[in-house]
Every structure is written in structure tokens, then in C-alpha cells.
């Protein structure tokens, strides 16, 4: 059932213009529910620290040559006869699993940072000759140069977000070869930059798939509740193809008895605006997902979407117009099962099960977009999600390319997850030093995010400081605090800042009339190491930090939740203390082999007691 009026038509216009200007070019959404051919499995690989397969001996890129020399690895050249000189051969080279990082698969690549070439050969017969075919990468860390049957498809920068390229015109029925030059070298002007406190896993770290579509197909859509009217479902649908103007797209939500059609504009885009008084709102206690079906010609796409509103109301956070306390935990995307970068449904399930066991209704996915399984599972499990862009510590704020890179990574995660009810907060950054260039950088990212997605909240993990020079009174002195919807900060009183009892000496003077989230607090402990609560690295010390911190934070009037650091011990090359850290950050409430530490139960009891 559909109703229209002039104001609504004006709003549609605004909606369309905004999305037109800011939409990420051609990212195909919801590959979860599309017909795909997986390219996961064994790939051949060549380790190329000197990038000998990319540059000639004059350090000129082969790909810039009219006829790239055989030395170019992306040509996958084979000797024509016994006299021919080719100094590499993918098919005789070792194999490696995709998806996964190379560090935990190959011992000699554990600390390797540089270029590795991947090659996958496959046959593919289209189901319909007029169809189009795309290769879709869920993530490649960090820079991917992608070639298909010897031709450059393009490049992608950013290790945690999806991208796709069309291969229709290059595709053969058999013996196709897809080659990816993966380079995870850390760089000053990159995002993230040189130093982080997590392991720089390299490789094709998430699924790779071929997507076959009709010549004209449904490429993108955004279907969410209008935050201002929880009986209105708004958004858009975007077609891709040469014949997409003035087309009917049918939208069906059977459980709401909604069946309607919209007509695209000259650019193949149509606004969606549906009404219902019978919406079963998605919430942490009732993670109800509707089947939503979009149909255009012979292209039909299904998704499971929850409808909820998330807003701030003064110092409170409101889910579906009622106040909610975010009982959270921070998580790194590391597989608790295999070690290494997490990528599978099982990895996600294990991490979110532990969060549920802890009594959480919320998780902070740090410090970069995690895989899509995490947010799709959070949708099903009723867990609220904070997603973060890897703008971490000291980024090259004045560098325009760095900004574009950061903005692009943000666009990609927003486009991938904008239909997920569980995702409520987009975080722009973590622990970034205040300065004018930084403030401008983050403020522009926030503006960009609001333009792309007006339905969610914006935050960032800021840092606290002394109030007017008095170290016993803490505050947030950061102009970016005026830009965010939710004021979040990390604090480590009792670990980096004094001993646990110091928590009792600290008061907070937070002047902003906004909801406050503590995005990090915690302490390190080696599982099984016991002693008095003043002995660092014992479970008792960590336990006491939690006891004291939970008491201290109650003193923050605007407190609406937190996500302590961190669910599970995780790998970090910065953590080298023998017999304690051994390459791990030990602030987990669970050890890397799955054992729960004493502090786990302190937080669980706190959450179980909090309604
Ligand atoms: C920081 C940072 C984390 C880091 C943590 C720690 O606050 O955001 O990435 O791991 O502190 O020092 O353990």
C-alpha cells in the first residue's frame, strides 16, 4: 500500500540527489544471496619481494608497456618451445589456500610483508550468452592489482572491504586465469599507517567469487526505516546496465503484505518509500528479519532485512524509541579456531557466541571492517554493531590521497552493510591526535558518512585528558566531539595510567550533552598466571582493573555503554615480552586457546545484573 504528497516528493528528490552524488561506483551489494561461482580453494602463488614480476630491470611497470614482456607475471607466460626463456611458472609453483592470510599458512611467510602473486585458473560457461560476469573480492590486504587473462582489470587499496571488476568481455569458456598481485607493505601515507597494534596479515583474506548477472541487473539498494518515521521504509534501488532508464522494479515484503513497484529515472535509480503500521521491529531481544524481494526483469534478489530505528535522545541512545545500555566488548577479526585472520562463518559464530556468553548485546568490531559473516550473524543473533574505518593513530592528515583512500574504504563498508539492522554506529577513527588537519579530515569523513547513510550514528574512539590540568578530573577536550552523535573514548586507568586503585581517585567532567560510550578499557593477563592483584600480568590484576573500572565509570552521568578491550588475546608484533606476551596482546578476557580469565566473569556478572 503506497501514499505520496508534495513534501514527500521533495524528500525523495533530496534522497536521490544525495545518493547520486555519493554512491560508490558499481559495488555489487548482497552477493550473499546472488548466484555465484566460488573461486575459493587452492591458488598458485609466487613470493616476489623485489616485485620482479611487476617492474622490468629499469623499474618500469610492465603493465604500462604496449606488449608487456614475458617477464610480466600477469601474462602467465609459458615457454613456446625449448629455446624460450621464461623465468617463472605459476603452475609449477606452490599452492596456498584462499581465503586466508599467507602468514599462518607458510612458516617462511610468517613475518613477510611485501608482494605475493596469486593465480587461479578456471573454466566458466555462462548460463545465457547475453549475461555479464564480475569477479568479486570480499577483501585483499592491502593493495591488489588484478589481471584477467593477461589484461589489467584494476587496482584496489584497503585490506578490509569488498570490490569487484567486470570480466564479461575477457571471459573464455575454458582456461581463464585470474592473477592478483597482493602487496601488504605498510606505508606512512596508507590507511592504516605504519604502526598499529595488530598483526598485518597479508593475502586474499576473504572469499573470491564470480557473479553472473543479466545484462541489466539490480546492482545496489538501500532499504531501511526512516529514522524520523518508523512506519516509513525508505531507500533506493540502483540498476546497472545499458537499458535501465524508466524501468519497473518490483519490491515485495510478503510478511508485511507489501507488493509494489517503483520506476527508475534516467540513471536507472528509483527511490523506495513504503508504509506499514504492522512492522515487527528488529531489536536485540527480537532480531526479526523480513524477507525482502526485489525483481527487475528476470533478475530477482532476496535479502533478509530488519527494520529498527537508532537515535540519540540527549544523553541517551534509543533503539526503537526506547533507551538501551550497550553491553559490549571489542573484537579483532582473528580466528579463535585456526589463529590467523578470521574469514569464515564458523570464526564469526565462535566470536559472537562468546560475546553472547559474556552477556553482550553489542560488539565493537575493531579497528577495521570485519567480514560480512559477522554483521549478517549479528543481524540474526540480535547483537548491535559498531563498525570502524582503519583511520588509526597518526595518519597522514594533509595527504589528499590518504583522505581519498580513507573515504573510499568508508564508502565500501557502508555500501556493503547499509541494509544490516545490527549495524548502528559508524566509527571514523581510533585514538587520533587532535590537530587542525586531523579535525578537517575526520569532519569530512563524518559529512561523507551522513550523506551516504542518514539512518545511523557517527562516532570515533577519542582520547581523554585532564580537566584544566587536574589529573584527578578527566574530560574530553577534542573539537571532533562536537561532530559525533555518540561521544566515545578509550581510557586505561589502572593499566597504562597508574594502578587499579587509581580508578577510585578519578572523577569525570564530560561537558558534552551526548551519550557516552567507553570504547576501550582493560588490562593484560597471561591466562593461568595467578598472584596478588598488584602483580602485573596475573588474572587477579586484570580482574581488579575490571572491578575498579566498572565502579569508576558509574560516575559518568552520560554513560550509555562500553566495549572493553578485548574479547580474545590477539597477535601483535608490538608485544614481545617473553613467556607473557610472546607476540600477543594479552588484554583478552579469553586466551588465544579459548580459556576464560577471571575478569570474564566480572564483566559477565555486571552485564547479567544490568537489564
Ligand atoms: C589502544 C588501541 C588498541 C590497542 C590497545 C592496547 O587503545 O586502540 O588498538 O591494542 O590500546 O594498548 O592494548
Amino acid at each position: 500500500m503506497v501514499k505520496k504528497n508534495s513534501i514527500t516528493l521533495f524528500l525523495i528528490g533530496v534522497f536521490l540527489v544525495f545518493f547520486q552524488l555519493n554512491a560508490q561506483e558499481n559495488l555489487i551489494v548482497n552477493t550473499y544471496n546472488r548466484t555465484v561461482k566460488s573461486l575459493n580453494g587452492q591458488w598458485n602463488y609466487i613470493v616476489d619481494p623485489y616485485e620482479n614480476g611487476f617492474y622490468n630491470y629499469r623499474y618500469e611497470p610492465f603493465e604500462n608497456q604496449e606488449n608487456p614482456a614475458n617477464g610480466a607475471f600477469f601474462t602467465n607466460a609459458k615457454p613456446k618451445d625449448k629455446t624460450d626463456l621464461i623465468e617463472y611458472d605459476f603452475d609449477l609453483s606452490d599452492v596456498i589456500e584462499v581465503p586466508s592470510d599467507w602468514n599462518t599458512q607458510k612458516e617462511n611467510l610468517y613475518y613477510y610483508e611485501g608482494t605475493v602473486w596469486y593465480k587461479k585458473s578456471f573454466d566458466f560457461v555462462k548460463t545465457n550468452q547475453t549475461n555479464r560476469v564480475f569477479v568479486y573480492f570480499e577483501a585483499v590486504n592491502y593493495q591488489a592489482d588484478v589481471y584477467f587473462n593477461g589484461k589489467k582489470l584494476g587496482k584496489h587499496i584497503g585490506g578490509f572491504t569488498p570490490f569487484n571488476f567486470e570480466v564479461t568481455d575477457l571471459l573464455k569458456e575454458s582456461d581463464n586465469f585470474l592473477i592478483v598481485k597482493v602487496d601488504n607493505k605498510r606505508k606512512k601515507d596508507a590507511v592504516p599507517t605504519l604502526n598499529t597494534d595488530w598483526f598485518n596479515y597479508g593475502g586474499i583474506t576473504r572469499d573470491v567469487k564470480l557473479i553472473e548477472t543479466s545484462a541489466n541487473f539490480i546492482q545496489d539498494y538501500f532499504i531501511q526505516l526512516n529514522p524520523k518515521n518508523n512506519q516509513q521504509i525508505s531507500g533506493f534501488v540502483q540498476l546497472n546496465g545499458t537499458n535501465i532508464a524508466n524501468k519497473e522494479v518490483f519490491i515485495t515484503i510478503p510478511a508485511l503484505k507489501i507488493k509494489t513497484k517503483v520506476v527508475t529515472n534516467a540513471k536507472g535509480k528509483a527511490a523506495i518509500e513504503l508504509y506499514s503500521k504492522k512492522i515487527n521491529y528488529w531489536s536485540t531481544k527480537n532480531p526479526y528479519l523480513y524477507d525482502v524481494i526485489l525483481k527487475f526483469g528476470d533478475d530477482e534478489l532476496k535479502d533478509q532485512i530488519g527494520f529498527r530505528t537508532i537515535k540519540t535522545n540527549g544523553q541517551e541512545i534509543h533503539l526503537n524509541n526506547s533507551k538501551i545500555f550497550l553491553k559490549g566488548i571489542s573484537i579483532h577479526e582473528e580466528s579463535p579456531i585456526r589463529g590467523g585472520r578470521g574469514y569464515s562463518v564458523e570464526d564469526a559464530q565462535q566470536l559472537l557466541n562468546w560475546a553472547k556468553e559474556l552477556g553482550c548485546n553489542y560488539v565493537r568490531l575493531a579497528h577495521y571492517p570485519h567480514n560480512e559473516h559477522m554483521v549478517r550473524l549479528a543481524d540474526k543473533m540480535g547483537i548491535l554493531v559498531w563498525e570502524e574505518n582503519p583511520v588509526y593513530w597518526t595518519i597522514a592528515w594533509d595527504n589528499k590521497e590518504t583522505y581519498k583512500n580513507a573515504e573510499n574504504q568508508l564508502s565500501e563498508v557502508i555500501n556493503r552493510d547499509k541494509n544490516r539492522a545490527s549495524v548502528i554506529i559508524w566509527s571514523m577513527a581510533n585514538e587520533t591526535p587532535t590537530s587542525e588537519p586531523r579535525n578537517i579530515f575526520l569532519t569530512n569523513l563524518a559529512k561523507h558518512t551522513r550523506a551516504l547513510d542518514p539512518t545511523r550514528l557517527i562516532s570515533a574512539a577519542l582520547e581523554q585528558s585532564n580537566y584544566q590540568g587536574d589529573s584527578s578530573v578527566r574530560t574530553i577536550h577534542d573539537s571532533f566531539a562536537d561532530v559525533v552523535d555518540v561521544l566515545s573514548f578509550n581510557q586505561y586507568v589502572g593499566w597504562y595510567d597508574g594502578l587499579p586503585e587509581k580508578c577510585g581517585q578519578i572523577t569525570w567532567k564530560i561537558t558534552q550533552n551526548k551519550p557516552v560510550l567507553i570504547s576501550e578499557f582493560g588490562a593484560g593477563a597471561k591466562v593461568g598466571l595467578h598472584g596478588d592483584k598488584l602483580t602485573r600480568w596475573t588474572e587477579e590484576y586484570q580482574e581488579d582493573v575490571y572491578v575498579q573500572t566498572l565502579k569508576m565509570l558509574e560516575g559518568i552521568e552520560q554513560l550509555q555503554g562500553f566495549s572493553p578491550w578485548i574479547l580474545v588475546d590477539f597477535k601483535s608484533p608490538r608485544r614481545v615480552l617473553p613467556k607473557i606476551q610472546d607476540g600477543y596482546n594479552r588484554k583478552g578476557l579469553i586466551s588465544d586457546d579459548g580459556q576464560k580469565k577471571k575478569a570474564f566473569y566480572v564483566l559477565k556478572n555486571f552485564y547479567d545484573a544490568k537489564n
Side-chain angles (χ1 to χ4, degrees), residues 470-578:
D470 177 351
S471 66
S472 70
V473 183
R474 302 299 170 82
T475 189
I476 303 300
H477 189 52
D478 184 335
S479 64
F480 193 59
D482 304 330
V483 176
V484 296
D485 302 309
V486 175
L487 180 59
S488 310
F489 59 90
N490 301 349
Q491 69 82 36
Y492 281 93
V493 178
W495 182 253
Y496 292 123
D497 178 356
L499 298 173
E501 81 231 354
K502 187 170 181 177
C503 292
Q505 298 142 19
I506 299 282
T507 56
W508 296 85
K509 193 165 180 50
I510 298 184
T511 53
Q512 292 83 359
N513 180 35
K514 292 183 179 184
V516 164
L517 289 180
I518 312 300
S519 30
E520 288 180 36
F521 69 79
K526 173 77 177 163
V527 73
L529 186 63
H530 294 288
D532 65 63
K533 60 183 180 185
L534 277 176
T535 303
R536 295 261 176 180
W537 305 111
T538 60
E539 290 195 34
E540 286 71 21
Y541 188 109
Q542 185 190 45
E543 180 184 37
D544 193 37
V545 167
Y546 272 73
V547 170
Q548 307 267 4
T549 303
L550 291 172
K551 237 183 283 157
M552 171 185 69
L553 296 180
E554 296 278 0
I556 299 177
E557 182 200 329
Q558 305 98 320
L559 184 70
Q560 299 304 335
F562 34 70
S563 50
W565 195 258
I566 185 166
L567 182 64
V568 189
D569 291 354
F570 62 95
K571 285 201 179 82
S572 167
R574 299 177 76 245
R575 309 295 172 169
V576 295
L577 185 60

Side-chain angles (χ1 to χ4, degrees), residues 197 367 392 430-431 492 496 520 565 570 575 585 587:
D197 190 27
H367 293 292
Y392 181 93
N430 179 74
E431 290 188 350
Y492 281 93
Y496 292 123
E520 288 180 36
W565 195 258
F570 62 95
R575 309 295 172 169
N585 181 312
K587 293 193 180 70

Side-chain angles (χ1 to χ4, degrees), residues 15-30:
F15 224 89
L16 272 181
V17 169
F18 250 116
F19 283 113
Q20 203 77 33
L21 287 173
N22 295 297
Q24 162 78 3
E25 269 314 309
N26 297 332
L27 185 69
I28 298 174
V29 302
N30 189 10

Side-chain angles (χ1 to χ4, degrees), residues 43-51 73 90 94 96 101-103 106 108-109 112-119 140-141 143-145 179-185 202-204:
W43 290 50
N44 297 97
Y45 74 100
I46 301 175
V47 181
D48 187 13
Y50 289 22
E51 300 189 310
F73 286 6
F90 276 106
D94 188 13
I96 194 163
D101 56 270
W102 61 59
N103 314 76
K106 307 292 174 182
N108 62 355
L109 296 179
Y112 179 69
E113 296 183 300
T115 285
V116 173
W117 294 82
Y118 286 70
K119 194 272 291 183
V140 174
N141 192 47
Q143 175 167 330
D145 288 88
I179 290 182
V180 186
K181 172 185 181 294
V182 181
D183 180 1
N184 76 331
K185 275 196 292 299
I204 301 181

Side-chain angles (χ1 to χ4, degrees), residues 170-382:
L170 298 167
L171 189 71
K172 299 179 294 178
E173 294 209 344
S174 61
D175 299 330
N176 295 289
F177 56 92
L178 176 62
I179 290 182
V180 186
K181 172 185 181 294
V182 181
D183 180 1
N184 76 331
K185 275 196 292 299
R186 288 169 293 117
K187 298 187 184 119
K188 177 109 188 61
D189 56 8
V191 179
T193 183
L194 288 167
N195 61 338
T196 71
D197 190 27
W198 69 79
F199 199 97
N200 181 30
Y201 294 106
I204 301 181
T205 51
R206 295 179 191 157
D207 294 3
V208 185
K209 47 192 109 169
L210 278 182
I211 305 172
E212 182 175 0
T213 71
S214 317
N216 302 286
F217 68 98
I218 300 166
Q219 174 217 312
D220 191 8
Y221 56 88
F222 187 10
I223 300 177
Q224 287 282 287
L225 269 193
N226 177 343
K228 296 194 178 65
N229 173 353
N230 66 2
Q231 296 183 354
Q232 182 190 10
I233 296 170
S234 303
F236 70 83
V237 58
Q238 172 70 61
L239 304 181
N240 182 316
T242 52
N243 186 11
I244 56 174
N246 223 3
K247 294 296 176 201
E248 292 181 337
V249 180
F250 294 86
I251 296 137
T252 310
I253 310 181
L256 283 176
K257 298 192 177 34
I258 285 179
K259 183 168 180 49
T260 182
K261 74 174 183 209
V262 293
V263 179
T264 59
N265 64 14
K267 291 203 169 115
K269 178 168 266 175
I272 296 173
E273 189 221 306
L274 313 167
Y275 287 86
S276 173
K277 287 194 171 60
K278 300 196 181 70
I279 296 173
N280 178 3
Y281 294 107
W282 183 96
S283 72
T284 54
K285 297 201 172 62
N286 170 48
Y288 185 81
L289 299 174
Y290 283 91
D291 281 338
V292 177
I293 302 141
L294 297 106
K295 195 165 178 7
F296 160 58
D298 57 8
D299 194 19
E300 180 165 300
L301 196 55
K302 217 183 217 174
D303 203 348
Q304 301 72 35
I305 300 180
F307 297 119
R308 54 95 188 94
T309 59
I310 188 74
K311 285 182 271 193
T312 62
N313 183 340
Q315 300 178 356
E316 298 180 347
I317 295 175
H318 284 198
L319 175 65
N320 300 325
N321 301 321
S322 48
K323 182 177 181 310
I324 186 164
F325 186 90
L326 301 186
K327 303 189 276 187
I329 192 74
S330 293
I331 302 179
H332 256 304
E333 188 190 42
E334 220 164 56
S335 166
I337 302 157
R338 284 183 328 279
R341 177 64 70 207
Y343 62 78
S344 67
V345 176
E346 296 73 25
D347 294 333
Q349 192 71 68
Q350 179 62 77
L351 292 167
L352 295 179
N353 284 354
W354 275 335
K356 274 273 183 184
E357 210 181 319
L358 191 53
C360 294
N361 61 7
Y362 162 66
V363 292
R364 174 188 178 207
L365 304 183
H367 293 292
Y368 39 78
H370 291 207
N371 61 76
E372 192 172 346
H373 299 305
M374 280 298 261
V375 289
R376 291 240 175 213
L377 266 176
D379 262 15
K380 288 193 185 125
M381 295 169 75

